[in-house]
Amino acid sequence: MGRKSSKAKEKKQKRLEERAAMAAVCAKVEAANKVSITGVKTGGGGWGEMPTVAVWAPPASPHLFLGRLFAFFPLLQLEDPLEAFPVFKKYDRNGLNVSIECKRVASLERATVDWAFELTKTNMQTLYEQSEWGWKDREKRDELTDERAWFLIAREPSARPVAFSHFRFDVECGDEVLYCYEVQLESQVRRRGLGKFLLQILQLVANSTQMKKVMLTVFKHNHGAYQFFREALHALAT
């Protein structure tokens, strides 16, 4: 009787510890999502599972320069997660001169959201149609305009957007993560390091909000993107 009682107590204690751990993870995600509370809720819902993909989720490296910054710059009271890191708000190399902004979807102009949707459709529709899920305009637009959505937008001096990343703070497999939904670039700004720079910013934001890792999904048949993210994320983790 005593042994059974002891085992029951151990199981109960383990369940309590697991619940406490999950509560702590959810609290971090909720705190990250409160970095900016300005703007109006846009509604919309999550898109659910992605088609068959490869997942790359490298932990932040203690040797990574970006990984050492977050301890000195608490971001939870900032409306702009990049406000404390002005050096990352500009990309001026390889023939490009763009500014980078980080905003919730509710703070973006409708024209910018429409542009992000159309760019995603141009770049990704064929790849989606080659999968069992197919392409659905409404579901992709709902995903981009979900109230939890954050955006990095790269703009030319004329304010014309040329690249973006859509990301969210979420819980994945019990871990607090920054989940990257999209990294999309206009054709004329590709292969100049801008995409990799946006991933560096995502790593910075993840560290600054105490997320455990950056995660993203890639179609296995999108060989170019597969190779790009593999090399870029490996570089960030070393």
Side-chain angles (χ1 to χ4, degrees):
M1 192 71 178
R3 291 182 179 177
K4 289 184 178 180
S5 177
S6 176
K7 288 183 177 179
K9 287 181 179 179
E10 289 177 1
K11 288 182 179 180
K12 182 178 180 180
Q13 181 62 31
K14 185 176 181 179
R15 286 196 299 269
L16 290 174
E17 290 174 355
E18 289 174 348
R19 290 174 186 171
M22 180 55 67
V25 167
C26 293
K28 284 187 177 181
V29 171
E30 184 178 356
N33 276 313
K34 289 180 179 178
V35 172
S36 173
I37 319 176
T38 58
V40 182
K41 290 186 177 180
T42 59
W47 189 30
E49 291 186 30
M50 289 287 289
T52 304
V53 293
V55 179
W56 295 92
S61 166
H63 304 294
L64 184 64
F65 172 70
L66 299 181
R68 294 198 293 264
L69 290 175
F70 77 93
F72 306 100
F73 298 99
L75 299 185
L76 297 183
Q77 301 303 318
L78 298 181
E79 293 184 2
D80 177 4
L82 295 183
E83 185 175 332
F85 309 102
V87 68
F88 290 96
K89 299 181 76 170
K90 188 174 182 62
Y91 184 82
D92 185 8
R93 65 189 77 160
N94 299 328
L96 294 180
N97 179 19
V98 299
S99 59
I100 312 290
E101 62 188 32
C102 184
K103 292 184 176 181
R104 279 186 179 274
V105 66
S107 300
L108 292 176
E109 305 86 351
R110 177 60 183 269
T112 301
V113 176
D114 290 343
W115 162 81
F117 170 77
E118 292 298 336
L119 179 60
T120 304
K121 183 174 182 177
T122 298
N123 291 349
M124 301 298 296
Q125 183 174 3
T126 299
L127 290 164
Y128 274 86
E129 290 173 345
Q130 291 171 354
S131 75
E132 60 184 15
W133 282 83
W135 174 270
K136 300 178 181 67
D137 279 5
R138 182 173 180 177
E139 290 185 351
K140 177 54 69 174
R141 189 176 286 275
D142 285 347
E143 180 184 272
L144 288 168
T145 57
D146 186 283
E147 63 183 23
R148 297 165 295 175
W150 286 85
F151 281 79
L152 293 175
I153 305 287
R155 298 181 185 272
E156 293 180 333
S158 64
R160 188 174 77 89
V162 293
F164 81 92
S165 175
H166 161 209
F167 67 94
R168 301 182 197 173
F169 302 104
D170 212 338
V171 177
E172 187 74 21
C173 299
D175 289 330
E176 59 275 26
V177 304
L178 184 154
Y179 207 106
C180 174
Y181 281 72
E182 305 284 351
V183 176
Q184 302 293 343
L185 285 74
E186 297 274 7
S187 59
Q188 71 271 19
V189 299
R190 295 175 192 161
R191 301 186 181 279
R192 302 194 192 182
L194 180 57
K196 187 178 293 185
F197 188 71
L198 293 178
L199 287 179
Q200 288 178 325
I201 294 176
L202 292 182
Q203 180 73 66
L204 170 65
V205 173
N207 287 338
S208 301
T209 50
Q210 300 183 45
M211 298 295 100
K212 186 166 288 186
K213 63 186 79 172
V214 174
M215 294 189 70
L216 55 88
T217 57
V218 185
F219 283 119
K220 288 181 177 179
H221 58 278
N222 188 357
H223 302 296
Y226 189 95
Q227 187 65 24
F228 165 75
F229 285 116
R230 182 175 184 176
E231 292 177 357
L233 292 177
H234 176 74
L236 285 175
T238 55

